[in-house]
Amino acid sequence: MTPVLRTERLLLDPYTPEDEEAFVALFQDARVSRWMGDGPTTEAEDRALFGRVFSKVYAENLFDVWAVRRDGRLVGHAEIKRTDEVDGHEIIYALAPGAWGSGLGTEIAEAVVAYGFDELGLTEVHATVAAPNTASLALLTRIGFAHVRDVREDDGSTTRVLTRHRPSTDA
């Protein structure tokens, strides 16, 4: 079961059915969805995705997915899951444009990475970011991710693969 995580200003907790409209609004915002998966999808596809969070991801305990809330309002989305693309665990996060530029993305990423290291026992965490998404690349670099390789996508675009290693506990 996806646990509750807290940061200084955010609550990351499992989605509830009442989150559907806010989830769809977040994923339908072209400023957000252009960086997610294969890009913007239809409203029907986003509603189906929201349904699968409950019918598959939570029901089968596949991986951790969080609603990101600030002051009780849904402002983002986060997850950590094993993917073949990076041959390890990848963090994924999205933030509503109204919350951009305030450091909340850093809070989300740091919380999910810490969860991966501390609770899942991972030694490294990965992220995949579209090369033109300079804001996300800068955020990840700031918090200790390093660029390890590029993936050339079928459409000719480039996805950057970044990795952050667990800090050494050696004295």
Side-chain angles (χ1 to χ4, degrees):
M1 179 71 182
T2 296
V4 173
L5 307 178
R6 296 182 197 290
T7 71
E8 183 180 330
R9 299 175 288 172
L10 299 172
L11 173 69
L12 284 70
D13 66 350
Y15 282 100
T16 66
E18 294 75 32
D19 292 322
E20 183 172 359
E21 295 310 315
F23 175 95
V24 170
L26 177 69
F27 279 68
Q28 282 292 295
D29 189 313
R31 296 167 293 178
V32 175
S33 63
R34 69 183 287 211
W35 306 121
M36 306 273 301
D38 293 325
T41 55
T42 66
E43 181 179 333
E45 289 171 312
D46 287 337
R47 289 190 187 282
L49 175 62
F50 185 78
R52 285 192 304 277
V53 167
F54 295 95
S55 66
K56 295 286 290 175
V57 178
Y58 290 159
E60 298 176 20
N61 201 26
L62 296 179
F63 54 91
D64 295 299
V65 177
W66 294 274
V68 178
R69 304 176 201 282
R70 182 172 188 193
D71 301 326
R73 280 190 20 257
L74 185 91
V75 296
H77 171 89
E79 51 189 84
I80 187 169
K81 64 182 177 182
R82 177 148 181 53
T83 63
D84 290 338
E85 185 171 7
V86 298
D87 192 27
H89 281 72
E90 177 179 4
I91 66 165
I92 297 163
Y93 58 91
L95 195 57
W100 290 356
S102 60
L104 295 179
T106 300
E107 284 187 39
I108 296 168
E110 287 279 31
V112 176
V113 167
Y115 173 77
F117 290 152
D118 299 342
E119 302 302 322
L120 300 181
L122 304 176
T123 58
E124 59 185 21
V125 175
H126 308 277
T128 57
V129 181
N133 188 349
T134 56
S136 201
L137 290 167
L139 181 161
L140 292 166
T141 300
R142 258 193 328 274
I143 66 168
F145 279 78
H147 174 244
V148 292
R149 65 185 165 94
D150 288 338
V151 175
R152 187 81 166 165
E153 302 294 350
D154 292 340
D155 65 3
S157 66
T158 299
T159 297
R160 301 220 185 281
V161 178
L162 299 96
T163 301
R164 179 170 162 184
H165 296 276
R166 180 187 196 109
S168 174
T169 55
D170 297 341

